[in-house]
């Protein structure tokens, strides 16, 4: 009649912004009886026919192709499915609406879903609310449940067939919900909890703030996968014939505006899981949450992360309607008018527009079809258009840093059309050359053979067990030194290293570089690099999956037109790398206005994504003798002519030492110098000033230094 024990109370009584919807009969059925909704024989036959036709698609968690006469679409968040994933309960408050359907062969649901077993299993329990005419023979919003075992073999909704044991005398499954939220008006939500009884093994459904037991699914119902949940999901789903598609949630997407969230889009708040059998419900870990949108043009999910007032919260919804027509039009264009990018066969890119800029060609690629999203690791990744929360502030505002230098702004003018991003066109042989250049540069240790060198002149934070960095920033003086020697490369860059000291080289890096081996010219370019244990995974810019481009105007690998002159006009670029405190992605921002270019997704660095252990600012020169110059091609000296305007500077050096915290200036105590060929290249002039913040100078002429006479 009731669980052997209830989960420990959790702090879920958040401040009330919404009315709580209590359902149930006032008096209920007599003792010893339970309410079962009466279903006419014709309605039951129709509902079972619908269930037989579509339950496999619901359980399989798959989207029906657009060319089919109907389709099932979702917008939801879910916990990452891992071998170690074990949950024993899930909980949430679901905002209640009554979306208006256009035909009886549609449904719209807001649900909490519990998945069991391995990834190819679709054993599930689902609870929430639904507008479902084929099941209920009306368009009211109702308390709704669904369970399935092994796809279409066994499944059921509510009490339509055997499976759920009702114990409440007041709250039946399928009951109409009387109080419904109104757009921009009064809001209502309902609290639902599903958890495993630690003694009986049954899976209980509880309703309301007082955790009223409604009933349970018996332990043996779910077959072999009853021990624990492997994945939790929260969001919305719809099914509909194209006549037009039904709305989801409130019928409105989340928008970044005053009227675009609460009272507009449908929320799900207080999202929790139970990680120990019989334990307390805990807020989901935002690092473990991923988003999925089957058709974002129609329906979206916006992950808001944690808040002190609502716990972990998301918004879901969309108007449906004829939004799919745009997709069909794109499908027609792709089928008849699209052309493949030359050399892009390896990454499967297609484009409807190209832009020529400074002799390079950039293809405007659908933002959801860029190279990184074609990788299996990011198969269901939802592109985050901008960082969440507030951007880390500096202890000293940039406006207070005065300089005669001009900070270079780059871009493609108006940029690519909305919904697309610029990807530099790269012939296939250049992709191969880039990988060979990487291995030559980084797999060879300095002085591994006479005549080859990988040289660095840098300032880096001292590695300690307590070292944790969540961002780095600086202005990098831009030059274009003349390259010499075979296969040269030279860069000035910001780097973040991840993992212990002996784990080389899990890295994120951004700066400028001259690199004929991959760019096929001697131009100075915006340059990025990432690696994870370099012998396994590596990439420059966006030449392989790894970086998610979001800017329509600034592309990785772009030429930097304005470069400094020795003892002449000076130019610099401002670059920032930092971790999004809510999503966990590592963002790259450009310029004084901190324009987001894109991000390295949180899953890219595998086990070393939580924080960086070392921040580095400096220059690198790689090649065979005679070696290429670094920076301006001049070393720093203490003479009046040996610093500014001569050596290459890096100024405004900052780090973020607390996740979600502000940028703070580095200082002498936290830095150490690294020069592995000081006779060729050096770093000097370290210090802090009000005009520049903390700054250094790096550079050197290269040539035959260090090897002449050998």
């Amino acid at each position: 009649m009731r669980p052997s024990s209830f989960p420990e109370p959790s702090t879920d009584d958040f401040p009330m912004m919404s009315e709580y919807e209590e359902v149930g009969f006032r008096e209920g059925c007599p003792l010893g009886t339970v309410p079962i909704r009466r279903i006419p024989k014709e309605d039951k036959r129709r509902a079972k026919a619908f269930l037989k036709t579509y339950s496999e698609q619901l359980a399989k968690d798959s989207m029906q192709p657009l060319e089919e006469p109907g389709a099932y679409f979702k917008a939801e968040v879910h916990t990452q499915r891992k071998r170690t994933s074990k949950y024993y309960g899930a909980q949430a408050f679901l905002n209640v609406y009554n979306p208006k359907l256009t035909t009886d062969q549609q449904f719209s649901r807001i649900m909490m879903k519990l998945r069991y077993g391995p990834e190819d299993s679709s054993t599930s329990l689902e609870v929430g609310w639904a507008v479902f005419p084929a099941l209920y023979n009306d368009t009211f919003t109702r308390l709704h449940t669904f369970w399935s075992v092994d796809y279409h073999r066994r499944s059921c909704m509510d009490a339509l067939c055997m499976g759920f044991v009702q114990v409440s005398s007041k709250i039946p499954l399928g009951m109409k919900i009387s109080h419904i939220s109104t757009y921009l008006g009064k809001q209502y939500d309902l609290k639902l909890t599903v958890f495993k009884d630690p003694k009986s093994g049954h899976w209980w459904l509880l309703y309301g703030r007082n955790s009223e037991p409604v009933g349970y699914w018996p332990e043996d119902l779910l077959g072999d996968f009853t021990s624990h949940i492997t994945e939790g999901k929260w969001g919305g789903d719809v099914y509909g014939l194209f006549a037009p598609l039904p709305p989801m949630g409130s019928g409105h997407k989340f928008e970044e505006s005053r009227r675009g969230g609460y009272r507009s889009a449908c929320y799900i708040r207080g999202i929790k899981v139970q990680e120990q059998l019989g334990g307390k419900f805990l807020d989901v870990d935002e690092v473990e949450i991923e988003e999925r949108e089957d058709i974002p043009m129609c329906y979206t999910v916006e992950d808001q992360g944690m808040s002190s007032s609502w716990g972990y919260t998301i918004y879901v919804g969309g108007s449906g309607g004829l939004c799919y027509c745009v997709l069909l039009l794109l499908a027609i264009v792709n089928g008849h008018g699209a052309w493949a990018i030359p050399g892009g066969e390896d990454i499967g890119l297609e484009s409807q527009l190209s832009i020529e800029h400074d002799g390079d060609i950039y293809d405007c690629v659908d933002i959801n079809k860029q190279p990184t999203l074609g990788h299996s690791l990011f198969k269901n990744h939802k592109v985050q258009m901008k960082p969440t929360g507030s951007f880390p502030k500096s202890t000293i505002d940039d406006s207070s840093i005065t300089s005669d230098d001009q900070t270079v702004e780059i871009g493609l003018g108006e940029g690519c059309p909305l919904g697309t991003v610029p990807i530099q066109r790269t012939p296939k042989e250049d992709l191969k050359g880039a990988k060979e250049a990487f291995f030559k540069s980084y797999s060879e240790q300095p002085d591994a053979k006479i005549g080859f060198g990988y040289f660095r002149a840098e300032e880096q934070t001292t590695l300690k067990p307590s070292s944790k960095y969540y961002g780095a920033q600086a202005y990098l003086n831009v030059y274009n030194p003349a390259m010499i020697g075979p296969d040269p490369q030279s860069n000035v860059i910001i780097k973040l290293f991840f993992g212990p000291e002996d784990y080389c080289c899990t890295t994120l890096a951004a700066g400028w570089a001259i690199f004929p081996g991959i760019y096929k010219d001697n131009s100075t370019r915006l340059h990025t690099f990432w690696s994870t244990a370099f012998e396994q995974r590596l990439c420059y810019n966006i030449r392989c999956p790894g970086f998610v481009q979001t800017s329509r105007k600034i592309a990785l690998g772009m030429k930097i037109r304005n470069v400094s002159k020795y003892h002449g006009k000076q130019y610099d670029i401002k670059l920032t790398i930092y971790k999004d405190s809510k999503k966990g992605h590592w963002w790259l921002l450009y310029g004084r206005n901190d324009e987001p270019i894109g991000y390295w997704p949180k899953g890219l660095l595998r086990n070393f994504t939580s924080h960086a252990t070392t921040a580095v600012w400096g220059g690198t020169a790689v090649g065979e003798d005679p070696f290429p110059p670094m920076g301006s091609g001049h070393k720093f000296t203490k003479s009046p002519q040996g610093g500014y305007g001569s050596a290459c500077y890096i100024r405004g050096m900052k780090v973020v030492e607390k996740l979600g915290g502000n940028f703070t200036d580095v200082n002498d105590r936290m830095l150490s110098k690294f020069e592995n060929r000081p006779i060729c290249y050096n770093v000097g002039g370290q210090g802090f000033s009000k005009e520049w913040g903390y700054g250094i100078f790096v550079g050197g002429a290269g040539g035959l230094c260090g090897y002449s006479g050998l």
Side-chain angles (χ1 to χ4, degrees):
M1 292 304 299
R2 58 190 294 111
S4 61
S5 62
F6 288 86
E8 295 180 45
S10 55
T11 55
D12 57 9
D13 289 327
F14 307 114
M16 293 293 290
M17 293 176 67
S18 306
E19 294 289 335
Y20 184 71
E21 168 62 7
E22 294 290 352
V23 300
F25 305 126
R26 184 170 297 178
E27 298 298 331
C29 287
L31 284 173
T33 67
V34 292
I36 303 295
R37 191 175 71 90
R38 183 179 299 178
I39 306 175
K41 197 173 288 186
E42 180 60 31
D43 290 357
K44 184 177 290 189
R45 184 164 55 247
R46 183 183 64 252
K48 285 189 174 182
F50 189 95
L51 181 64
K52 182 178 180 180
T53 305
Y54 301 111
S55 63
E56 181 172 356
Q57 191 170 304
L58 289 170
K60 272 187 176 180
D61 201 26
S62 61
M63 182 180 74
Q64 193 163 324
L66 280 171
E67 61 268 19
E68 297 295 324
Y72 169 60
F73 299 124
K74 296 179 300 301
E76 62 189 18
V77 298
H78 61 92
T79 57
Q80 294 181 23
R81 189 188 286 261
K82 302 177 181 178
R83 292 181 180 179
T84 57
S85 299
K86 290 185 179 181
Y87 305 107
Y88 300 93
Q91 183 180 94
F93 290 77
L94 312 180
N95 197 191
V96 183
Y97 276 92
N98 182 249
K100 303 303 179 185
L101 309 186
T102 57
T103 77
D104 289 345
Q105 296 301 307
Q106 296 178 336
F107 67 70
S108 183
R109 310 190 304 171
I110 296 295
M111 303 294 286
M112 178 171 70
K113 305 176 183 180
L114 289 66
R115 309 281 287 188
Y116 299 76
E119 192 167 3
D120 59 354
S121 165
S122 288
T123 299
S124 68
L125 297 178
E126 304 179 9
V127 299
W129 61 259
V131 179
F132 206 145
L135 178 63
Y136 300 116
N137 200 27
D138 60 33
T139 56
F140 294 121
T141 302
R142 293 178 178 271
L143 179 63
H144 176 75
T145 67
F146 171 81
W147 63 264
S148 72
V149 179
D150 296 336
Y151 303 133
H152 196 49
R153 188 163 64 89
R154 286 192 298 159
S155 58
C156 194
M157 294 180 179
D158 296 343
L160 193 64
C161 49
M162 293 182 288
F164 184 82
V165 178
Q166 176 86 24
V167 300
S168 173
S169 64
K170 296 182 178 181
I171 306 174
L173 300 185
M175 188 171 192
K176 187 170 85 171
I177 299 174
S178 302
H179 294 97
I180 303 296
S181 305
T182 56
Y183 178 64
L184 300 181
K186 195 166 188 176
Q187 300 297 298
Y188 295 91
D189 58 28
L190 54 88
K191 179 185 176 185
L192 294 174
T193 304
V194 177
F195 81 104
K196 182 176 182 178
D197 189 312
K199 289 188 177 180
S200 68
H202 304 324
W203 289 87
W204 280 86
L205 170 61
L206 310 181
Y207 184 96
R209 285 181 172 263
N210 297 324
S211 299
E212 174 74 18
V214 178
Y216 60 88
W217 294 272
E219 179 185 28
D220 53 2
L221 176 70
L222 302 182
D224 298 331
F225 304 128
T226 189
S227 64
H228 61 271
I229 307 163
T230 52
E231 185 180 30
K233 299 185 177 187
W234 298 263
D237 58 15
V238 298
Y239 173 83
L241 302 173
F242 292 152
L245 289 177
M248 177 190 293
S250 68
H252 297 267
K253 294 182 181 180
F254 174 87
E255 297 177 4
E256 293 283 357
S257 66
R258 207 171 83 178
R259 288 192 169 187
Y262 179 65
R263 293 193 177 94
S264 173
C266 178
Y267 64 77
I268 301 178
R269 63 184 180 96
I271 298 175
K272 297 176 182 286
V273 291
Q274 189 183 43
E275 297 181 342
Q276 294 184 348
L277 185 61
K280 182 183 294 187
F281 275 93
L282 305 172
D283 297 299
V284 292
D285 184 348
E286 60 191 5
V287 176
E288 299 294 325
I289 288 291
E290 294 181 343
E291 299 174 2
R292 173 174 173 175
E293 295 173 342
D294 288 341
I295 183 169
M297 194 168 291
C298 300
Y299 313 104
T300 61
V301 57
E302 177 67 24
D303 185 349
Q304 293 287 288
M306 278 296 299
S307 79
S308 58
S309 57
W310 269 24
Y312 204 97
T313 302
I314 65 171
Y315 286 94
V316 297
S319 60
L322 298 177
C323 56
Y324 68 92
C325 290
V326 180
L327 294 179
L328 294 178
L329 180 60
L330 287 176
I332 293 171
V333 173
N334 285 334
H336 300 92
W339 46 273
I341 295 175
E345 295 86 352
D346 288 346
I347 50 180
L349 298 179
E350 287 188 347
S351 170
Q352 280 76 51
L353 176 69
S354 62
I355 298 174
E356 193 279 333
H357 183 79
D358 285 344
D360 297 323
I361 298 177
Y362 297 88
D363 291 289
C364 296
V365 175
D366 185 325
I367 193 169
N368 294 305
K369 294 182 180 179
Q370 57 182 291
T372 294
L373 302 185
H375 192 278
S376 58
L377 185 63
F378 307 108
K379 181 179 178 182
N380 295 319
H381 181 81
K382 178 196 172 186
V383 176
Q384 182 184 347
M385 292 307 298
K386 61 181 180 180
T388 59
S390 59
F391 175 73
K393 297 178 181 179
S394 298
T395 51
I396 296 181
D397 193 339
D398 280 346
S399 61
S400 68
I401 298 178
T402 59
S403 173
D404 294 331
D405 311 324
Q406 184 172 338
T407 300
V408 180
E409 298 299 331
I410 61 175
L412 297 173
E414 295 299 319
C416 286
L418 284 171
T420 66
V421 292
I423 305 294
Q424 187 180 20
R425 189 178 296 184
T426 308
K428 192 181 292 185
E429 58 270 19
D430 287 3
L431 292 174
K432 181 180 178 182
K435 291 185 178 182
E436 291 175 349
F438 177 93
F439 280 115
K440 185 171 186 179
S441 301
Y442 290 92
S443 61
E444 297 273 11
Q445 292 298 315
D447 306 333
K449 61 179 182 179
I450 298 297
F452 176 83
Y454 166 46
F455 302 124
R456 294 157 52 197
E458 304 168 336
E459 284 284 346
Q460 60 188 36
T461 57
T462 305
L463 180 62
K464 300 177 182 178
S466 59
S467 298
K468 291 184 179 181
Y469 300 104
Y470 301 93
Q473 182 183 92
Y475 290 78
L476 310 179
N477 197 191
V478 183
Y479 275 92
N480 182 250
M483 293 293 101
I484 57 176
D487 300 322
Q489 63 166 291
S490 181
N491 65 54
V492 173
I493 210 154
I494 304 170
K495 292 185 282 190
L496 290 172
F497 285 101
F498 298 76
E501 189 171 13
D502 58 354
Y503 195 87
C504 181
C505 298
T506 300
T507 313
L508 297 179
W512 62 260
I514 303 167
F515 201 161
I518 64 171
Y519 297 119
K520 304 305 178 186
D521 62 25
N522 291 318
S523 300
T524 301
R525 293 175 179 267
L526 177 63
H527 181 72
T528 68
F529 155 75
W530 66 264
S531 71
T532 59
F534 65 82
E535 73 281 1
Q536 297 179 7
R537 307 180 69 204
L538 53 99
C539 193
Y540 288 116
N541 295 339
I542 205 162
R543 296 188 174 220
C544 50
F547 185 84
V548 178
Q549 174 87 20
T550 62
S551 173
R552 297 189 297 116
K553 297 181 179 181
I554 303 175
L556 301 185
M558 288 190 73
K559 290 178 184 175
I560 301 175
R561 293 177 177 176
N562 297 320
V563 295
S564 306
K565 302 295 183 183
Y566 180 64
H567 286 311
K569 189 171 181 62
Q570 301 296 299
Y571 295 91
D572 57 29
I573 59 174
K574 180 188 176 187
L575 292 173
T576 302
I577 302 173
Y578 89 104
K579 182 177 181 179
D580 187 311
S581 59
K582 290 187 176 181
K583 300 288 188 178
H585 308 319
W586 289 85
W587 278 87
L588 173 62
L589 311 180
Y590 184 95
R592 283 182 174 269
N593 295 324
D594 297 315
E595 174 75 17
I597 299 176
Y599 58 89
W600 295 275
K602 63 184 177 184
L604 181 69
L605 303 184
R606 300 289 184 176
N607 298 328
F608 300 112
T609 190
S610 64
H611 62 270
T613 51
T614 307
V616 181
W617 300 262
T620 305
V622 182
E624 299 181 25
D625 62 325
F627 303 112
M630 177 192 297
S632 67
H634 296 267
K635 294 170 69 174
F636 169 79
T637 66
K638 293 184 178 180
S639 68
Q641 301 297 314
Y644 179 76
S646 173
C648 177
Y649 66 75
I650 301 176
R651 65 186 179 95
M653 295 163 52
K654 300 174 185 289
V655 291
V656 177
E657 298 184 85
K658 181 181 178 182
L659 184 61
N662 293 329
F663 276 101
T664 57
D665 298 290
V666 298
N667 56 63
D668 292 332
R669 296 188 303 276
M670 62 193 300
L671 295 175
S672 59
K673 181 167 68 174
F674 181 87
E675 299 170 341
N676 63 349
R677 186 61 60 178
I679 196 172
C680 302
Y681 315 98
N682 75 349
V683 56
Q686 302 93 332
F688 180 85
S689 71
K690 290 183 179 179
E691 294 78 17
W692 270 24
Y694 197 94
I696 61 174
F697 291 92
V698 298
L704 296 175
C705 59
Y707 287 106
S708 57
L710 289 178

